[in-house]
Amino acid sequence: MSNAPLQLQNICKNYGALRVTDDVSLNIEAGELHAIIGPNGAGKTTLIHQISGHAQSDSGRIIFDGQDVSRLPMAERARMGLVRSFQITSILPRFSALENVAIAVQARSGSSFSFFGNASKEPALNDAAIALLSRFGLAARAGVPAGQMSHGEKRQLEIAIALAAKPKLLLLDEPLAGTSHDESQRLINTLQELRKELPIVLIEHDMDAVFALADRVSVLVYGRIIASGSPQSIRDNAEVRAAYLGEEAA
Amino acid sequence: MNNLVDLDAHASPALATPRRANRAYLLPLIVFAIFALVPLSVLWGSQSFILALVTRIMILALAAMSLDLLIGYGAMISFGHAAYVGLGAYSVAILASHGITDGFIQLAVALSVSLIFAFFTGAISLRTKGVYFIMITLAFGQMLFFLGTSLAAYGGDDGLTLASRSMFFGSKFMKNDVAMYYVAFGVLLGAYLLLRAIVASRFGRVLRGIRENPVRMEAIGFAPYRYQLTAYVIAGMIAGVSGFLLANQTEFVSPAYTAWQRSGDLIFVLVLGGLGSLHGAIIGAAVFSLLADILSHYTENWALIFGPILILVVLYARGGITGLFGSKS
Ligand SMILES: Nc1ncnc2c1ncn2[C@@H]1O[C@H](COP(=O)(O)OP(=O)(O)O)[C@@H](O)[C@H]1O
Ligand SMILES: [Mg+2]
C-alpha cells in the first residue's frame, strides 16, 4: 500500500460517447510538484474536475489522505484539504479582493451558521486574508471589487483564495494562462515557494515553467497517461515528442 | 474612480469609509422615520383610510423584504412566496374560528407551519436550478391556493371573516387601528434589523457568495444547499408573520392571498424598489401600493399601467428606486 497523499486508481470519465478520462492511475507523492501536460482537449481539466469532485468519475477510486473520496462532493473534499483553482477564473466578482480571500479563511475557521456579528469586520479573518494578499502583491488592491481587477490580478487572487482554504494538496489548472510576462514570473516564484509547503498538481502549457518547477511530469493524450517521469525523461521520450512536445518545440 | 477605491483600500481595507456607511443608513432611517410619524397625521384630521393603507404597505413590505433575502441575497427566485403569507393568515383565521384568539399561540402556529412548509418544499425545490426552481416554487404555491379553495369548513373560495383580531396578554388593544399600525411598524423594524444582521453575518456572507458564484463557494468548502435551505426557511417564516399581520389588519382571509399573482406582486415590488438592499422592498411596497391606490381612482384597468412601469424600471433603472439614490449594500 502506497501512502502517497493522492492516489488515482483506474479512474474513467465519459461524456456521451467520448471517453475523456481513460483509465488513469497516478500517485502524487508527498512534497512533489507534479505537472500534467498534454494537448488541448486531452482531458486535463476534466481530470482536475474529477479529483476535486466538481465532476464524478464513472469508475475507479480516488484516495486522498488515506480516505476514499471518490463519492464525496467538492465542498467536502475541499474541507479535507483537497483544494483547486480553475482554468477559467472563478472568483466572487462583486466581493472585494479582501472578502474573496476572507470568506475562504472563514470556510476553515469556525462555523458559518452564525447569524449575528459583521463577518467583514472579523479581525482574525481579515488579518489572515491581508497576509495572503500581501504574499501576492495584492494588499494595495484589497478593497477593489474582484470583478474589476485585471486578468493577471484575478489569477493571483484565485491562488490566494485557494491557499486561504488551508489546502493539504493544491490542484492548479493553468494558473499562468493569459498572464503577462511579469505576472507569470511572479506566479512562478510564488509556486517555487509553495512547492516547499505542500504537494501540487500543476496543469500548465508554459513548458519553461513546467520544466523549471516540476519534480515529475505526466503526459496526458486522449485521456490516457502516455508517459510519466522526471522532466528530463519526458523531454527525451520519443512518443511524447511525437504526440505533443514536437509541435510545441517547433 | 479607481483612485478613490484605492484610497479606501489603504485607509481601511475591509470596510467602506464611514462617510459612505452613513449614507447607506440614511435612506432606511428616513423611511422608518416617516412610517413612525404617519399616525400623527390623524391629529390633523387625515382620514383613517391612510392609516389602513400604510399598515398594509408595511405588511406588504415585510413579505417583500423576506423575499429579498432569497432573490436579492441568495439568487433564489421564488415564485411562490405568497404561500407563506397565506399560511400565516390562515393560522390566525382557523384558530380564531375555533375560539383560539391568543396572539402568541396564533403566531407560534403561523411560524411553525411556515417553517415546516418552507423546510419540506425548500428541500425539494432547491434540488433544481434556474427556471425549474421558479416553476417548482410556483407549483407549491398553487398547491396551497387550491388547498385553500377546497377548505369548505373555512370558507373555501370565499374565504373567512375573522371574529376578532388577535389578543395579546388577554388584551384586545389591536382592535385600535393605531395600535395595529404600530404593531406592524414594530414588526417591520424588527425584521429589518434582523435581516440586516443576517446578511452581514458569516451566514449572510456565505449566502451572498453563493449568489455570486456557487462553484467557487463549493471549491472552498461550502455546500450551498444547506445555506440556501436555511435562508429559505427564514424567509418563509418572516412572510408567515406578514400573513399573521395581514389577517389581523383586514380581519379576513381568503385563498386569493396565496394566488400566484400575489407572489408576482412581491417580485414586482422588489424589482421596483431595488433588489438586495432590504429597504428597497419597503420603498417598492410603498410606491406599488400608492400607485395602485391612486390609479384605481382613474381606471379599472390600473394593473395595465404596471406593465410599462416594470419595463421602464428594468430597462433604465436596474437598481430600482433605491438604485437611483445610489445607496445599495
Ligand atoms: N461537460 C462536458 N460535456 C461534454 N464534453 C466535455 C465536457 N467537458 C469537457 N468535454 C470534452 O472533453 C474533452 C477534454 O476536455 P478538457 O478536460 O477541458 O481538456 P483540456 O483541459 O486537456 O484541454 C474535450 O474534447 C471537451 O470537449
Ligand atoms: Mg483545460
Side-chain angles (χ1 to χ4, degrees):
Chain A
M1 267 279 311
S2 157
N3 55 5
L6 179 65
Q7 304 169 25
L8 312 181
Q9 301 174 351
N10 310 99
I11 62 172
C12 294
K13 177 85 192 168
N14 299 312
Y15 281 121
L18 184 68
R19 171 147 288 209
V20 183
T21 305
D22 191 1
D23 196 29
V24 167
S25 294
L26 186 67
N27 281 359
I28 307 299
E29 304 293 340
E32 85 166 322
L33 191 149
H34 195 116
I36 297 176
I37 62 173
N40 271 329
K44 304 181 296 295
T45 294
T46 304
L47 191 61
I48 297 288
H49 285 344
Q50 287 172 268
I51 301 172
S52 64
H54 188 41
Q56 295 291 332
S57 302
D58 294 338
S59 60
R61 295 209 309 163
I62 299 169
I63 313 289
F64 176 66
D65 220 4
Q67 268 193 60
D68 186 343
V69 298
S70 311
R71 297 281 148 234
L72 295 183
M74 177 154 68
E76 219 158 302
R77 294 187 207 187
R79 282 201 298 276
M80 292 176 64
L82 189 52
V83 180
R84 65 169 297 175
S85 74
F86 291 84
Q87 179 176 356
I88 297 166
T89 307
S90 178
I91 47 161
L92 308 172
R94 286 197 284 172
F95 278 38
S96 68
L98 182 77
E99 282 217 274
N100 266 274
V101 181
I103 198 169
V105 178
Q106 178 186 324
R108 297 301 299 275
S109 67
S111 169
S112 283
F113 276 94
S114 150
F115 301 90
F116 299 98
N118 193 326
S120 67
K121 291 181 183 166
E122 281 191 47
L125 303 184
N126 289 340
D127 292 350
I130 281 285
L132 275 163
L133 286 175
S134 306
R135 184 166 184 179
F136 290 86
L138 292 173
R141 306 281 283 157
V144 180
Q148 290 174 18
M149 298 176 99
S150 75
H151 176 75
E153 286 175 330
K154 286 181 190 159
R155 298 307 288 171
Q156 316 218 47
L157 177 64
E158 204 178 329
I159 300 181
I161 293 169
L163 290 181
K166 291 199 184 147
K168 289 187 190 150
L169 187 148
L170 206 50
L171 308 162
L172 301 177
D173 194 352
E174 301 199 24
L176 305 182
T179 57
S180 72
H181 179 77
D182 285 357
E183 286 165 343
S184 68
Q185 210 47 56
R186 169 167 216 135
L187 274 168
I188 289 170
N189 291 341
T190 313
L191 291 179
Q192 288 286 18
E193 285 170 34
L194 277 179
R195 60 183 298 185
K196 296 173 199 149
E197 297 168 25
L198 76 176
I200 298 173
V201 176
L202 172 70
I203 292 179
E204 194 41 68
H205 269 304
D206 180 337
M207 285 307 132
D208 292 338
V210 165
F211 288 118
L213 286 165
D215 298 298
R216 283 198 298 156
V217 179
S218 291
V219 183
L220 197 71
V221 178
Y222 292 123
R224 282 184 159 274
I225 294 191
I226 61 165
S228 206
S230 71
Q232 194 53 49
S233 73
I234 294 298
R235 234 195 283 251
D236 297 341
N237 185 311
E239 197 186 348
V240 173
R241 296 190 78 95
Y244 182 54
L245 284 180
E247 38 188 271
E248 279 280 314
Chain B
M1 187 63 211
N2 260 325
N3 273 335
L4 270 178
V5 177
D6 254 0
L7 284 176
D8 288 348
H10 285 299
S12 159
L15 322 167
T17 57
R19 189 166 32 86
R20 225 192 284 164
N22 279 342
R23 260 190 50 197
Y25 287 124
L26 195 60
L27 194 54
L29 208 67
I30 294 172
V31 167
F32 278 106
I34 293 172
F35 279 132
L37 298 176
V38 161
L40 295 183
S41 71
V42 180
L43 298 178
W44 284 280
S46 102
Q47 291 130 318
S48 68
F49 87 87
I50 290 199
L51 212 54
L53 176 67
V54 182
T55 306
R56 258 186 291 119
I57 287 175
M58 292 190 294
I59 293 170
L60 177 66
L62 183 63
M65 203 162 71
S66 69
L67 185 60
D68 200 17
L69 182 68
L70 298 184
I71 300 184
Y73 294 91
M76 292 172 267
I77 305 176
S78 166
F79 208 145
H81 207 56
Y84 300 92
V85 178
L87 285 174
Y90 268 94
S91 298
V92 176
I94 292 177
L95 286 172
S97 77
H98 292 286
I100 302 169
T101 53
D102 185 276
F104 289 115
I105 295 175
Q106 292 174 341
L107 198 55
V109 170
L111 286 167
S112 313
V113 172
S114 301
L115 184 153
I116 293 165
F117 190 72
F119 181 81
F120 285 104
T121 63
I124 297 168
S125 310
L126 285 166
R127 298 193 180 280
T128 66
K129 287 188 172 55
V131 77
Y132 298 102
F133 180 79
I134 298 175
M135 293 316 290
I136 199 166
T137 51
L138 172 67
F140 279 126
Q142 287 302 95
M143 263 173 49
L144 268 197
F145 174 79
F146 289 114
L147 179 68
T149 60
S150 69
L151 286 178
Y154 303 109
D157 264 337
D158 298 331
L160 188 60
T161 303
L162 246 63
S164 83
R165 287 184 177 170
S166 304
M167 304 205 322
F168 285 97
F169 306 108
S171 151
K172 290 190 172 177
F173 69 90
M174 282 227 293
K175 267 188 124 138
N176 179 305
D177 284 342
V178 176
M180 175 76 226
Y181 180 96
Y182 278 114
V183 168
F185 174 79
V187 171
L188 182 67
L189 180 61
Y192 176 76
L193 295 174
L194 177 72
L195 287 169
R196 260 272 89 81
I198 288 177
V199 298
S201 71
R202 281 182 162 223
F203 172 84
R205 180 152 79 171
V206 174
L207 194 65
R208 287 181 282 125
I210 295 165
R211 168 193 73 193
E212 295 285 296
N213 186 345
V215 174
R216 164 41 66 207
M217 294 299 282
E218 280 179 71
I220 54 176
F222 293 109
Y225 186 76
R226 56 187 79 161
Y227 295 95
Q228 291 180 315
L229 183 55
T230 305
Y232 198 81
V233 169
I234 293 171
M237 291 172 76
I238 294 176
V241 175
S242 142
F244 168 88
L245 294 173
L246 184 62
N248 270 294
Q249 200 269 330
T250 59
E251 300 179 38
F252 172 73
V253 302
S254 94
Y257 288 4
T258 67
W260 66 269
Q261 290 93 332
R262 298 292 81 73
S263 294
D265 288 349
L266 291 176
I267 297 177
F268 181 54
V269 161
L270 274 182
V271 173
L272 191 64
L275 281 162
S277 68
L278 296 180
H279 51 269
I282 305 173
I283 294 167
V287 174
F288 176 90
S289 304
L290 292 174
L291 267 181
D293 196 70
I294 294 165
L295 292 175
S296 63
H297 289 303
Y298 294 99
T299 164
E300 266 175 41
N301 300 318
W302 52 270
L304 263 180
I305 299 171
F306 277 10
I309 292 177
L310 185 60
I311 292 169
L312 287 176
V313 169
V314 169
L315 285 182
Y316 298 108
R318 268 294 173 79
I321 296 165
T322 340
L324 299 177
F325 288 90
S327 68
K328 199 168 178 249
S329 48

